[in-house]
Amino acid sequence: MEAAATSKVDVLIIGAGPAGLMLSLWMAKLGVKTRIVDKRTGKIVSGQADGFQCRTLEIFDSFGIGHKVWHEANHMHEVSFWNPDEDGKIRRHHRGPNTQPNLSRFTEAVLHQGRVESILIDTIRASASPKHPLVEIERSVMPTSLHIDESCVDDEDAYPVEVTLRHLTEEEATPTQRLSNLQDGLYRSNLAEDDTERLLANTAGVGREEKVQAKYVVGCDGAHSWVRKTLGEEYQMKGESTDAIWGVLDIIPITDFPDIRSRCMIHSAEFGAMMIIPRENKLVRVYTQLKQVSTGTGRVDRSQITPDVILETARKILSPYTLDYHYIDWWTAYQIGQRVGDRFSKHNRVFLTGDAVHTHSPKAGQGMNVSMGDTYNLGWKLGLVCKKLLQPHVLDTYELERRQIARQLIAFDQKFSKLFSGRPAKDASDEAGSSMSEFQQAFREAQLFITGVGIHYQPSILTSDSDLKGGLQGTETPSQSQVTSLAESAAHCQPGRRFASQIVLSQADARPWELQLHLPSNGRFRVVVFGGDISQATQLATVNKLGGWLQANWMTDEDPSIVDVLLVHSGPRDKIELLQDLHEVFHPFDKKLGWDYGKVFADDHGKAHKHYGVDPDRGAVVAVRPDGYIGLVTGLEAEDGWTRLQAWFGGLLRPSPSSS
Amino acid sequence: MEAAATSKVDVLIIGAGPAGLMLSLWMAKLGVKTRIVDKRTGKIVSGQADGFQCRTLEIFDSFGIGHKVWHEANHMHEVSFWNPDEDGKIRRHHRGPNTQPNLSRFTEAVLHQGRVESILIDTIRASASPKHPLVEIERSVMPTSLHIDESCVDDEDAYPVEVTLRHLTEEEATPTQRLSNLQDGLYRSNLAEDDTERLLANTAGVGREEKVQAKYVVGCDGAHSWVRKTLGEEYQMKGESTDAIWGVLDIIPITDFPDIRSRCMIHSAEFGAMMIIPRENKLVRVYTQLKQVSTGTGRVDRSQITPDVILETARKILSPYTLDYHYIDWWTAYQIGQRVGDRFSKHNRVFLTGDAVHTHSPKAGQGMNVSMGDTYNLGWKLGLVCKKLLQPHVLDTYELERRQIARQLIAFDQKFSKLFSGRPAKDASDEAGSSMSEFQQAFREAQLFITGVGIHYQPSILTSDSDLKGGLQGTETPSQSQVTSLAESAAHCQPGRRFASQIVLSQADARPWELQLHLPSNGRFRVVVFGGDISQATQLATVNKLGGWLQANWMTDEDPSIVDVLLVHSGPRDKIELLQDLHEVFHPFDKKLGWDYGKVFADDHGKAHKHYGVDPDRGAVVAVRPDGYIGLVTGLEAEDGWTRLQAWFGGLLRPSPSSS
Ligand SMILES: Cc1cc2nc3c(=O)[nH]c(=O)nc-3n(C[C@H](O)[C@H](O)[C@H](O)COP(=O)(O)OP(=O)(O)OC[C@H]3O[C@@H](n4cnc5c(N)ncnc54)[C@H](O)[C@@H]3O)c2cc1C
Ligand SMILES: Cc1cc2nc3c(=O)[nH]c(=O)nc-3n(C[C@H](O)[C@H](O)[C@H](O)COP(=O)(O)OP(=O)(O)OC[C@H]3O[C@@H](n4cnc5c(N)ncnc54)[C@H](O)[C@@H]3O)c2cc1C
């Protein structure tokens, strides 16, 4: 073995699944020196996760790639519930929208994980520029040791985490079943053993090793996370597995079942439950409960699980409808269980994300979404701290915010899985059975959470406190935030929730825009000024005064400034001249590119003001975090607005070298 | 010189500009053996055409790539007219929508030609499959001779056109200015000389030559078309040039002119006219009249034209507003002229398309659109004739249909250019000046034509006659069609016009769709059945009887059949069971892929029926050509509907080997 080379990097990411790729995307966008390694030779080619929630699509859109997924994916508009009728035959009991209308401009959509990973990888590559180093996924590489030098974790210029990386052979990096049978997903299932231990043990003739000193290390290494295990006992996930085993088939079905292109939740009288997920390219995913493969004592006989066994069960559940297929894309099986870790970070230097810190059943289509949600939350914080734009203590909010979401997810999944796996109750007196109406209601109630749109981060240094409370169940005791919002200024913009989209017209060219598209994920904080009717001189003066204050205080020297200012006004568009009437902060000038015409929007008839809960006579200011979540809501005037903004930014941003 | 090798090909395309690429796309989609050659080493990288009309976007969408252009392009929503006021200073006189609302789901959009060519090339490549040979653009190749063997032009198995191709050297294929200065577009302008003659003359040390025998040759070789010249005198274009010289700058402007992000038509009192086209990525295209460079006798001194000259003129026109730039992307100049050929085809074996057969000024953003429109019209006809699915005499309709469009274009351009280049009239009595209100009105009236949505092909074997006439000015004497439409069945579906889009819900999964997206460009004819309220038993029976007749008569043995059937009904969606209630022609079965669930649509509250002018109590049948233009409108019943459909298809399609 050669002596290990040593190099330094700001961020080292372990694992290139959805969580790792989303994090790399942030790093690539922000231009942070990053390495990402994965023990496998290649990415997923088929199967695995496929459900794309509304909020995830919004996030993809904020990176300019939402339309790609949206175009290729199947959109799921409808859900059908099929239950046994009096003679035990399944019958459609209810049909309704799969995504609650008007939550988002997207509905739930379905596209397989491999395609999603490709899109992310291409976007990471495309983010490279002369100023931003290329972030390339290094395959067939895994860590073999991780050590934190605790003496310097508070020194932000230090590289306190040392990781040894081993470059694997092609054989080590290729799981056995992989090449011979691409459709077989069982080797990656939670019923199969992980190979990390075996690989680590294989010290005879190991490949090249190197040492990396990192400022930050992020474990995105999935359910069997080596990073998590390495961090010690107190990082182990807690929770339980149930006996319920489910099989998954991705097929092009040949069936006379009428709702095969809708999402279906089917409970049969005798043969267990089934879920149907219509997918892209005529594919359909079928989840079926496999009652027969459990050996009773909680152990599972894996060798008994084959696509035929899953198909047989599906046929029994669907009977009298027929089910067959010619083409199978992928199949697997898993055991339902819910686990979540207590700790998501060590010294804010090593972090755990995604399946590495929470696992649950896949049927609600949450894992990939929540995993990317974790690193979407972490990425900009890490990036801006590396760039010395953000105060390092903001990193505390990662565990605070995402652990809450993970716990809500686990609680939802426990309830939902139990109701789904249970035998349908024969009638109201049948207490051992699951009530089908309770099941439907649980599904409906969970919608806001499932779509990701309901996420509501608790108060913290990032999220001001608000009078208008109303989080989801399971909210932890809030850590006190330092600033309070003037919540009534924009009553439907609750701090901690994502800034929703409304359609507004570009002042400069009359183009209608989803306002969210003007809050791209580029690491900038945003001050969205709702100006009200600025064709009124006093209102215009107030807005311009605020503009002057923003310019003087928060337009830092970086190019572009860490704070971005948008103006939405409800005046008549043709009465306003962008360059002439408005303060320059609303049309910043660049020596080479001229004025920026893309920051001011007209809100026809004040419709958007109304949706955001802003009184057009008074206006409001909404400060939005780089991840699109609302941080602060306040007024336009010096007293209400400026002081709160000053305090909020003051607690987060680093004093710019030029100011103070 | 080596002896020339000889090979055979179905279609040989000369020139890989927009026209040639659109044609190749059809060929690649239809799987026709095709070669495409271009004398240049590479495609356009910047500049040239940039205007994308609504209809072109719809066409791109029918190939599955509309969203790509739409996402990248700038959308032009507004147009401003600036004229001199009493003191001769320019002033905004009018502002309005640039595209008439509700014409299309798109508005005019702007993206440079190089990007468009890339998207086309990638799509051509992606169309290759085991069944469909790859169509690769062969660069640095030009024809040196073309000969038609007239003795066998009527034998469809013959290859009557022999072309000699020469493989150029890198030096020959690279225009001199190209590598040294990418921004300079003058070498491609109509003020510059073409190098074809020089290249042809250079017989010393020529590269490899080969002979190609083709069934069909298509000249897509632009304004200096060698193919056109080779066809002889009677193919020369006719028309005239004016003195007006215009300069073009693609810059990121630094200006206080308030409407710089709108399309603007500016007439100054003294310094000529100017047009502003806001583009993608902060670019703006500026067209300015260059009064000073014409030497008076109609000759132009090219050496006098520089970006500075164009900028100087633009500054004078825009004064008192300022104009500057740091970044220039491209620039050129051209002389206004309008020419069109009389003949677009020789023996239906050699065709002329695009700039090779009509040229005009670029300001209305028509050239690229009309050029692609030509080959979009020709491509499917040629492809289906090669595949022996369509009767060869249908090829006659190419010249018939596209010459009319070219003539309308020339007429429009003459009028528009004259008004634009003219000095603005001082008042109503100033007859030598152009009237600004007349100019605005001409622009408004031309909208339908400019957008491409107004295209109305005259009656022919492809387009049935209709009672409800109403073509644009300039329609040629119609060649009689053999079938007449029952026009009142779908009053807003006029034969010869494109089948417009409406939103309908997929019966199978409730997804809302633009109906046009279910008429993709794949070479299939479409029978769109408007079923009305099929929850009524009699109406359902009528629809199913028609289904049976279609199945028996027009579902040919090819896979898929050349005729595709769609059903749009206005019954309540949840009262209809797709597989159970409807004839199998509406959900065709495939042994490997199961039933097709994508052919039936519910029309909520009959809104789409109303837009198409269909009475929901009676229904209608609209037969649509593979290019999305309406061929025939008729009723559902045997007498009205079937006989007309029979006659129409009978005149076009070849008897399928299995039937008759
Ligand atoms: C059948 C099925 C259906 C599902 N359906 C959905 C769904 O519809 N929607 C949804 O959102 N989620 C779904 N999921 C869950 C989803 O797949 C996971 O939650 C998601 O992939 C987790 O992302 P991750 O990046 O955290 O982990 P992973 O995707 O597991 O990625 C971890 C990566 O780290 C690498 N790695 C692991 N260990 C090491 C190591 N020691 N060193 C280096 N690299 C390492 C792995 O090779 C892998 O590439 C489904 C899962 C299954 C099995
Ligand atoms: C400044 C400017 C602005 C314009 N703006 C617009 C606009 O906004 N919208 C719009 O729609 N149109 C616009 N146009 C017009 C548009 O560019 C043309 O109409 C369009 O490119 C014509 O397409 P084409 O494929 O017919 O010909 P071309 O684009 O000219 O392509 C011809 C191709 O054939 C090749 N070729 C030529 N001779 C030979 C030969 N002998 N052998 C082999 N290959 C050969 C050439 O290399 C070239 O690649 C503009 C043009 C200019 C100059």
Side-chain angles (χ1 to χ4, degrees):
Chain A
M1 205 159 83
E2 294 171 44
T6 301
S7 61
K8 283 194 165 67
V9 71
D10 285 351
V11 178
L12 173 64
I13 303 171
I14 314 287
L21 292 173
M22 175 57 76
L23 188 59
S24 301
L25 180 53
W26 261 130
M27 296 303 126
K29 284 270 169 197
L30 297 178
V32 172
K33 209 176 154 199
T34 299
R35 287 180 66 180
I36 170 167
V37 302
D38 195 289
K39 67 175 178 182
R40 296 278 182 245
T41 48
K43 66 179 175 59
I44 298 264
V45 279
S46 57
Q48 294 284 119
D50 59 4
F52 248 82
Q53 303 304 340
C54 303
R55 178 61 191 148
T56 309
L57 284 160
E58 292 180 2
I59 290 172
F60 269 54
D61 229 16
S62 77
F63 284 111
I65 51 179
H67 66 292
K68 291 194 187 174
V69 175
W70 191 235
H71 183 77
E72 288 183 32
N74 185 42
H75 306 178
M76 279 203 303
H77 283 269
E78 202 162 51
V79 57
S80 292
F81 294 87
W82 288 68
N83 302 326
D85 64 11
E86 302 72 41
D87 358 311
K89 260 181 56 181
I90 57 165
R91 198 166 58 80
R92 187 196 294 135
H93 274 234
H94 181 71
R95 194 148 69 162
N98 181 54
T99 310
Q100 209 173 300
N102 299 324
L103 273 185
S104 166
R105 63 189 177 280
F106 299 107
T107 61
E108 186 175 2
V110 186
L111 186 66
H112 77 88
Q113 188 170 332
R115 195 57 201 117
V116 175
E117 293 185 6
S118 302
I119 292 173
L120 285 170
I121 292 168
D122 284 344
T123 314
I124 292 166
R125 285 211 185 109
S127 306
S129 72
K131 275 164 79 186
H132 288 188
L134 177 68
V135 178
E136 269 287 12
I137 290 105
E138 302 173 46
R139 306 261 178 207
S140 314
V141 178
M142 71 182 270
T144 58
S145 79
L146 181 153
H147 175 75
I148 308 178
D149 179 354
E150 304 202 350
S151 72
C152 62
V153 289
D154 294 328
D155 169 5
E156 41 165 337
D157 294 318
Y159 292 79
V161 198
E162 186 173 272
V163 175
T164 310
L165 293 179
R166 184 187 294 173
H167 293 254
L168 302 176
T169 62
E170 206 48 27
E171 196 180 318
E172 285 175 315
T174 312
T176 347
Q177 277 125 309
R178 185 58 166 269
L179 289 182
S180 47
N181 186 350
L182 283 174
Q183 294 149 0
D184 179 356
L186 210 51
Y187 76 92
R188 243 185 175 252
S189 142
N190 63 3
L191 300 178
E193 265 159 48
D194 183 50
D195 58 357
T196 309
E197 290 304 323
R198 186 174 53 74
L199 289 173
L200 285 175
N202 176 22
T203 48
V206 286
R208 183 167 65 84
E209 292 206 336
E210 57 167 319
K211 280 197 180 357
V212 177
Q213 283 164 354
K215 285 188 175 163
Y216 303 96
V217 170
V218 187
C220 305
D221 49 349
H224 298 289
S225 175
W226 173 89
V227 176
R228 181 186 68 222
K229 285 175 197 148
T230 309
L231 291 183
E233 256 321 298
E234 57 300 12
Y235 286 83
Q236 294 322 298
M237 295 198 285
K238 291 174 192 145
E240 53 203 45
S241 293
T242 67
D243 286 354
I245 306 290
W246 286 70
V248 185
L249 281 185
D250 284 350
I251 53 176
I252 297 183
I254 303 178
T255 177
D256 57 1
F257 179 69
D259 288 359
I260 194 74
R261 295 301 310 169
S262 287
R263 180 182 198 164
C264 295
M265 316 274 202
I266 306 169
H267 278 92
S268 70
E270 279 182 62
F271 303 105
M274 171 167 170
M275 185 160 84
I276 290 176
I277 301 282
R279 300 228 335 232
E280 72 280 9
N281 296 331
K282 291 175 180 278
L283 283 172
V284 170
R285 172 165 287 184
V286 170
Y287 287 91
T288 52
Q289 217 172 331
L290 297 180
K291 295 202 155 178
Q292 66 278 42
V293 294
S294 167
T295 53
T297 56
R299 288 189 313 121
V300 178
D301 183 356
R302 273 176 63 200
S303 68
Q304 274 191 38
I305 306 177
T306 64
D308 280 347
V309 167
I310 307 173
L311 179 67
E312 261 330 303
T313 315
R315 280 180 172 155
K316 284 185 192 148
I317 297 171
L318 269 193
S319 160
Y321 299 102
T322 59
L323 177 65
D324 218 324
Y325 66 83
H326 182 89
Y327 175 77
I328 178 167
D329 198 59
W330 188 75
W331 67 277
T332 194
Y334 61 89
Q335 184 161 21
I336 291 186
Q338 290 91 12
R339 293 167 194 276
V340 59
D342 265 342
R343 304 184 58 177
F344 283 43
S345 135
K346 187 158 191 167
H347 302 305
N348 281 343
R349 290 295 188 165
V350 180
F351 298 90
L352 295 174
T353 71
D355 275 13
V357 69
H358 43 71
T359 58
H360 48 88
S361 63
K363 276 188 302 297
Q366 291 297 303
M368 177 168 72
N369 292 276
V370 177
S371 296
M372 291 193 291
D374 284 349
T375 49
Y376 183 65
N377 181 292
L378 176 62
W380 64 272
K381 298 172 184 172
L382 217 45
L384 296 183
V385 168
C386 285
K387 293 176 81 178
K388 300 200 172 169
L389 295 168
L390 199 65
Q391 299 183 28
H393 66 152
V394 176
L395 291 173
D396 289 339
T397 62
Y398 167 65
E399 178 174 289
L400 181 78
E401 296 183 333
R402 296 307 298 183
R403 186 173 53 193
Q404 173 186 324
I405 303 304
R407 286 180 180 168
Q408 288 170 358
L409 172 59
I410 296 301
F412 155 72
D413 194 55
Q414 274 165 342
K415 183 169 167 191
F416 188 69
S417 291
K418 205 165 137 216
L419 282 164
F420 205 169
S421 296
R423 172 182 60 74
K426 297 211 172 63
D427 51 41
S429 69
D430 176 8
E431 287 186 12
S434 319
S435 147
M436 290 298 99
S437 58
E438 199 184 319
F439 175 68
Q440 276 173 45
Q441 202 185 325
F443 179 78
R444 256 198 309 277
E445 280 173 7
Q447 277 281 303
L448 208 65
F449 179 73
I450 292 179
T451 58
V453 170
I455 284 180
H456 191 165
Y457 293 136
Q458 64 261 61
S460 71
I461 182 140
L462 260 179
T463 305
S464 64
D465 225 329
S466 155
D467 319 341
L468 303 160
K469 287 282 166 52
L472 286 170
Q473 67 281 43
T475 304
E476 301 180 20
T477 331
S479 76
Q480 214 42 56
S481 79
Q482 300 173 327
V483 190
T484 310
S485 272
L486 261 181
E488 75 279 11
S489 315
H492 306 148
C493 294
Q494 272 180 281
R497 290 193 178 266
R498 72 98 161 77
F499 183 69
S501 201
Q502 292 295 332
I503 291 182
V504 289
L505 296 184
S506 164
Q507 173 67 33
D509 68 3
R511 175 168 174 179
W513 278 102
E514 288 284 352
L515 185 52
Q516 254 187 7
L517 291 174
H518 285 270
L519 289 83
S521 290
N522 57 9
R524 303 179 74 185
F525 282 80
R526 271 171 193 99
V527 175
V528 184
V529 178
F530 288 97
D533 184 356
I534 58 171
S535 66
Q536 307 299 317
T538 50
Q539 191 69 13
L540 181 64
T542 308
V543 165
N544 280 336
K545 254 175 78 186
L546 170 64
W549 179 81
L550 285 167
Q551 178 79 24
N553 289 275
W554 294 107
M555 295 296 104
T556 52
D557 277 351
E558 297 81 34
D559 177 25
S561 158
I562 178 89
V563 177
D564 184 22
V565 179
L566 302 178
L567 170 64
V568 181
H569 71 82
S570 61
R573 177 172 161 269
D574 60 354
K575 291 284 173 304
I576 307 298
E577 293 290 352
L578 175 56
L579 297 187
Q580 207 172 300
D581 295 339
L582 290 165
H583 188 277
E584 122 182 43
V585 82
F586 303 116
H587 44 77
F589 184 76
D590 178 286
K591 281 198 301 286
K592 295 190 177 176
L593 303 176
W595 281 284
D596 189 335
Y597 303 94
K599 300 295 178 192
V600 180
F601 302 89
D603 173 21
D604 213 16
H605 301 103
K607 251 174 82 180
H609 277 67
K610 202 159 142 203
H611 275 288
Y612 289 115
V614 177
D615 176 349
D617 289 339
R618 295 192 10 238
V621 175
V622 178
V624 184
R625 311 161 17 159
D627 56 2
Y629 286 80
I630 297 167
L632 177 79
V633 174
T634 183
L636 295 179
E637 318 266 351
E639 209 176 324
D640 298 349
W642 308 2
T643 44
R644 284 173 214 264
L645 267 177
Q646 183 72 27
W648 188 67
F649 277 135
L652 301 173
L653 301 185
R654 313 246 298 202
S656 133
S658 68
S659 64
S660 89
Chain B
M1 203 161 84
E2 292 172 45
T6 302
S7 61
K8 284 195 164 67
V9 72
D10 286 351
V11 178
L12 173 64
I13 303 170
I14 315 288
L21 292 174
M22 174 57 77
L23 188 59
S24 301
L25 180 53
W26 260 130
M27 297 302 126
K29 284 270 171 199
L30 297 177
V32 172
K33 210 176 153 200
T34 301
R35 287 180 68 179
I36 170 168
V37 302
D38 196 289
K39 67 176 178 181
R40 296 277 182 246
T41 48
K43 65 178 176 58
I44 299 264
V45 279
S46 58
Q48 295 284 120
D50 59 3
F52 248 83
Q53 303 305 339
C54 303
R55 178 63 191 149
T56 309
L57 284 160
E58 292 181 1
I59 290 173
F60 269 55
D61 229 16
S62 77
F63 284 110
I65 51 179
H67 67 292
K68 291 195 186 172
V69 175
W70 191 236
H71 182 77
E72 287 183 32
N74 185 41
H75 306 179
M76 276 202 307
H77 284 268
E78 203 164 49
V79 57
S80 291
F81 295 87
W82 288 68
N83 303 326
D85 62 11
E86 303 73 40
D87 358 311
K89 259 181 56 182
I90 57 165
R91 197 166 59 80
R92 187 196 294 135
H93 273 234
H94 180 72
R95 192 148 69 162
N98 180 54
T99 310
Q100 208 172 300
N102 299 324
L103 274 184
S104 165
R105 63 191 177 281
F106 298 108
T107 60
E108 186 175 1
V110 187
L111 187 66
H112 77 88
Q113 190 170 331
R115 195 56 201 116
V116 175
E117 293 184 6
S118 302
I119 291 175
L120 285 171
I121 292 168
D122 283 342
T123 314
I124 292 166
R125 285 209 186 111
S127 306
S129 72
K131 276 163 80 187
H132 288 188
L134 177 67
V135 179
E136 268 287 14
I137 289 106
E138 302 173 46
R139 306 263 177 205
S140 314
V141 178
M142 71 181 271
T144 58
S145 80
L146 181 153
H147 175 77
I148 308 179
D149 178 352
E150 303 203 350
S151 72
C152 62
V153 290
D154 294 328
D155 169 6
E156 40 166 340
D157 294 319
Y159 292 79
V161 198
E162 187 173 89
V163 175
T164 309
L165 294 179
R166 183 187 293 173
H167 294 253
L168 303 175
T169 62
E170 203 51 23
E171 197 180 317
E172 286 174 315
T174 311
T176 348
Q177 277 125 307
R178 185 60 166 267
L179 289 182
S180 47
N181 186 351
L182 284 174
Q183 295 150 357
D184 178 357
L186 210 51
Y187 75 92
R188 245 187 174 250
S189 142
N190 64 3
L191 300 177
E193 265 158 48
D194 183 49
D195 58 356
T196 308
E197 290 304 323
R198 187 174 54 73
L199 289 172
L200 285 174
N202 176 22
T203 49
V206 287
R208 182 167 66 83
E209 292 206 334
E210 58 166 319
K211 279 198 178 359
V212 177
Q213 284 163 355
K215 286 188 175 162
Y216 302 96
V217 170
V218 187
C220 304
D221 49 349
H224 297 289
S225 175
W226 173 89
V227 175
R228 182 186 67 224
K229 285 175 197 149
T230 309
L231 290 183
E233 256 322 298
E234 62 291 18
Y235 287 82
Q236 293 322 299
M237 295 197 285
K238 290 173 193 146
E240 53 205 43
S241 293
T242 68
D243 286 354
I245 307 289
W246 285 70
V248 185
L249 281 184
D250 285 349
I251 53 176
I252 297 183
I254 303 178
T255 176
D256 57 0
F257 179 69
D259 288 359
I260 193 73
R261 295 300 311 169
S262 288
R263 180 183 197 163
C264 294
M265 317 275 202
I266 306 169
H267 278 94
S268 71
E270 278 183 61
F271 303 105
M274 170 167 171
M275 184 161 83
I276 291 175
I277 301 283
R279 300 229 336 232
E280 72 280 9
N281 296 332
K282 292 174 180 280
L283 283 172
V284 169
R285 172 165 287 185
V286 171
Y287 288 90
T288 52
Q289 219 171 330
L290 297 180
K291 296 202 156 178
Q292 66 279 43
V293 294
S294 167
T295 53
T297 55
R299 288 189 311 121
V300 178
D301 183 356
R302 274 177 60 201
S303 67
Q304 275 191 37
I305 307 177
T306 63
D308 279 348
V309 168
I310 307 174
L311 179 68
E312 260 332 301
T313 315
R315 280 181 173 155
K316 284 185 193 147
I317 297 172
L318 269 193
S319 158
Y321 300 102
T322 60
L323 177 67
D324 217 324
Y325 65 83
H326 181 89
Y327 175 77
I328 177 166
D329 197 59
W330 189 74
W331 66 277
T332 193
Y334 61 89
Q335 185 159 19
I336 290 187
Q338 291 90 12
R339 294 167 194 276
V340 59
D342 265 342
R343 304 184 57 178
F344 282 44
S345 135
K346 187 157 190 168
H347 304 304
N348 281 342
R349 290 296 188 165
V350 180
F351 299 89
L352 295 174
T353 71
D355 275 12
V357 70
H358 43 71
T359 58
H360 48 89
S361 64
K363 278 188 301 298
Q366 290 296 302
M368 177 166 73
N369 293 275
V370 178
S371 297
M372 291 194 291
D374 285 348
T375 49
Y376 183 65
N377 181 291
L378 176 61
W380 63 272
K381 298 173 185 172
L382 217 46
L384 295 183
V385 168
C386 286
K387 293 177 83 179
K388 301 201 171 169
L389 295 169
L390 199 66
Q391 299 184 27
H393 65 153
V394 176
L395 292 173
D396 289 340
T397 62
Y398 167 65
E399 178 174 288
L400 181 79
E401 296 183 333
R402 296 307 297 182
R403 186 174 52 194
Q404 174 186 324
I405 302 305
R407 288 180 179 167
Q408 287 170 0
L409 172 60
I410 296 302
F412 155 73
D413 195 55
Q414 274 166 342
K415 182 168 168 192
F416 187 69
S417 292
K418 205 166 138 219
L419 283 165
F420 205 169
S421 295
R423 172 181 61 74
K426 296 210 173 62
D427 50 42
S429 68
D430 175 6
E431 287 185 14
S434 315
S435 146
M436 290 298 101
S437 59
E438 200 185 316
F439 174 68
Q440 276 173 46
Q441 202 185 324
F443 180 77
R444 257 199 308 278
E445 281 173 6
Q447 276 282 302
L448 208 65
F449 179 73
I450 293 180
T451 58
V453 170
I455 284 180
H456 191 166
Y457 294 136
Q458 65 261 61
S460 72
I461 183 139
L462 261 179
T463 305
S464 64
D465 225 330
S466 155
D467 319 342
L468 305 159
K469 287 280 166 54
L472 286 169
Q473 67 281 45
T475 303
E476 301 179 21
T477 331
S479 75
Q480 213 41 57
S481 79
Q482 301 174 326
V483 189
T484 310
S485 272
L486 261 182
E488 76 279 12
S489 315
H492 306 147
C493 294
Q494 272 179 281
R497 289 193 178 266
R498 71 101 160 75
F499 183 71
S501 201
Q502 292 295 332
I503 290 182
V504 290
L505 296 185
S506 165
Q507 173 67 33
D509 68 3
R511 175 169 174 179
W513 278 102
E514 289 283 351
L515 186 52
Q516 256 187 5
L517 291 174
H518 285 270
L519 288 83
S521 290
N522 57 9
R524 303 179 74 186
F525 283 80
R526 269 167 197 103
V527 176
V528 183
V529 179
F530 288 97
D533 185 355
I534 57 171
S535 66
Q536 308 297 319
T538 50
Q539 191 67 16
L540 181 63
T542 308
V543 165
N544 279 336
K545 254 174 78 186
L546 170 64
W549 179 82
L550 285 167
Q551 177 79 23
N553 289 274
W554 293 108
M555 294 297 104
T556 51
D557 277 351
E558 298 81 33
D559 178 24
S561 159
I562 178 90
V563 177
D564 184 24
V565 179
L566 302 178
L567 171 64
V568 181
H569 71 83
S570 62
R573 177 172 161 269
D574 60 354
K575 291 285 174 303
I576 309 296
E577 292 291 350
L578 175 55
L579 297 187
Q580 207 172 301
D581 296 339
L582 290 165
H583 187 278
E584 124 183 41
V585 82
F586 301 116
H587 45 76
F589 184 76
D590 177 287
K591 282 199 300 287
K592 294 188 176 175
L593 303 176
W595 281 283
D596 190 335
Y597 302 93
K599 300 295 177 192
V600 180
F601 302 89
D603 172 21
D604 214 16
H605 302 103
K607 251 175 82 180
H609 277 65
K610 202 159 143 202
H611 275 287
Y612 288 115
V614 178
D615 176 348
D617 289 338
R618 294 190 13 236
V621 175
V622 178
V624 183
R625 309 160 21 158
D627 55 3
Y629 286 81
I630 297 168
L632 178 78
V633 174
T634 183
L636 295 179
E637 317 266 351
E639 211 175 324
D640 298 349
W642 308 2
T643 44
R644 284 174 212 263
L645 267 177
Q646 183 73 27
W648 189 66
F649 276 135
L652 301 173
L653 300 185
R654 313 248 296 202
S656 134
S658 70
S659 65
S660 87

